[in-house]
Amino acid sequence: MSAAATRLSFAGGLDPARLAPTFARHGRIHLPGVFAEPAAKAVGRTLAGTVPWHKSLTAHGKSYDVGLDTLEAMPPERRAELEAAIAEAGRIGFQYLFDAWRLSDLMEAGQRSGGALAPLEAVYDFLNGPVFLDFVRKLTNDPRPAYVDAQATRYRAGDFLTAHDDAVEGKNRLYAYVLNFTPVWRPDWGGLLLFYDHDGHVAEGYTPSFNALNIFRVPQLHAVTQVASFVAAERLSITGWIRER
């Protein structure tokens, strides 16, 4: 399917003026049924299909993107050392472990794949088009949003993202977003997007759900809880930041 054939568009009933007071009050919002159903299903099928995933993680204070084949071929003792480093970082600070495909890096470099991956490229185009950017400006009552970056993500058993607030100097991040395309998920499977209040309690949480958009203000302390070891399903999404230039 081509990017043009995907024809992403908002579903009816998304009125940013009506939703703006909720966003202003909480600094975040969960919007189910955000895309017209045929396009949402096309994106979901693509994420569940042959995406050139790599494993995204930190180890010994550095970030890495590691090919899944490279991980599979790693000697057992080296793999055990890496897993120990990941666990140690998760215990004492910021750490993440999930599969990713850095969509916007490729799009900005003019490296479109087309073909089976075209629906994901169509999402990037939609996010950076006037319809979505105008929606975000009205939702947030903020004229600054200028462009959106994106990566596809896949969380499987054991994957997680520890608490952080997305604030990085010089990145010009205004808002974070998550577009969920997980067909079936239970909250007790983990993979929940949680927001924390100032005393460390969970203020709110969103379960991955198909064709839902989460947008939240940066900075805001949040995490993705570890996916349970017994889960065979995949938590699929496109996520990133809405930025000013």
Side-chain angles (χ1 to χ4, degrees):
M1 179 180 289
S2 69
T6 304
R7 293 180 183 173
L8 281 160
S9 62
F10 276 140
L14 281 176
D15 179 358
R18 180 178 58 84
L19 298 168
T22 299
F23 188 87
R25 185 163 59 251
H26 300 290
R28 55 184 175 262
I29 197 166
H30 169 80
L31 301 173
V34 68
F35 286 132
E37 194 72 12
K41 288 182 176 179
V43 175
R45 285 193 299 269
T46 301
L47 287 169
T50 308
V51 175
W53 301 109
H54 60 261
K55 186 65 73 176
S56 189
L57 57 93
T58 63
H60 305 297
K62 296 183 179 180
S63 298
Y64 296 95
D65 290 342
V66 184
L68 300 185
D69 290 345
T70 300
L71 281 176
E72 287 294 325
M74 193 174 287
E77 63 277 9
R78 178 70 183 94
R79 182 68 178 266
E81 179 185 328
L82 177 61
E83 290 173 352
I86 292 168
E88 176 66 15
R91 281 191 291 270
I92 63 175
F94 178 57
Q95 175 61 294
Y96 53 85
L97 180 71
F98 56 83
D99 296 339
W101 183 53
R102 299 192 182 279
L103 179 59
S104 56
D105 287 357
L106 297 170
M107 299 302 97
E108 291 165 12
Q111 299 176 18
R112 289 180 178 265
S113 300
L117 296 173
L120 305 189
E121 295 171 352
V123 174
Y124 173 83
D125 291 337
F126 180 83
L127 294 174
N128 283 281
V131 172
F132 183 77
L133 288 171
D134 186 58
F135 175 85
V136 171
R137 293 175 191 130
K138 291 177 179 176
L139 173 71
T140 60
N141 194 28
D142 184 349
R144 296 175 296 166
Y147 71 102
V148 181
D149 59 23
Q151 67 172 347
T153 68
R154 179 178 68 173
Y155 285 70
R156 298 184 289 179
D159 290 344
F160 63 93
L161 173 63
T162 61
H164 62 291
D165 65 8
D166 282 342
V168 179
E169 187 174 355
K171 293 291 188 179
N172 301 320
R173 295 170 177 171
L174 301 172
Y175 308 97
Y177 74 92
V178 182
L179 274 168
N180 279 303
F181 294 97
T182 304
V184 177
W185 200 263
R186 283 174 26 184
D188 52 338
W189 289 355
L192 307 180
L193 174 60
L194 297 186
F195 298 91
Y196 302 103
D197 59 23
H198 295 298
D199 59 3
H201 293 296
V202 175
E204 193 170 18
Y206 300 149
T207 301
S209 55
F210 183 76
N211 194 20
L213 171 64
N214 305 320
I215 298 179
F216 53 97
R217 187 181 296 123
V218 174
Q220 192 165 171
L221 192 64
H222 63 284
V224 176
T225 61
Q226 188 171 45
V227 176
S229 60
F230 56 81
V231 173
E234 298 176 340
R235 180 191 187 275
L236 302 169
S237 66
I238 295 176
T239 184
W241 294 276
I242 300 160
R243 308 188 189 220
E244 65 176 329
R245 297 200 184 278

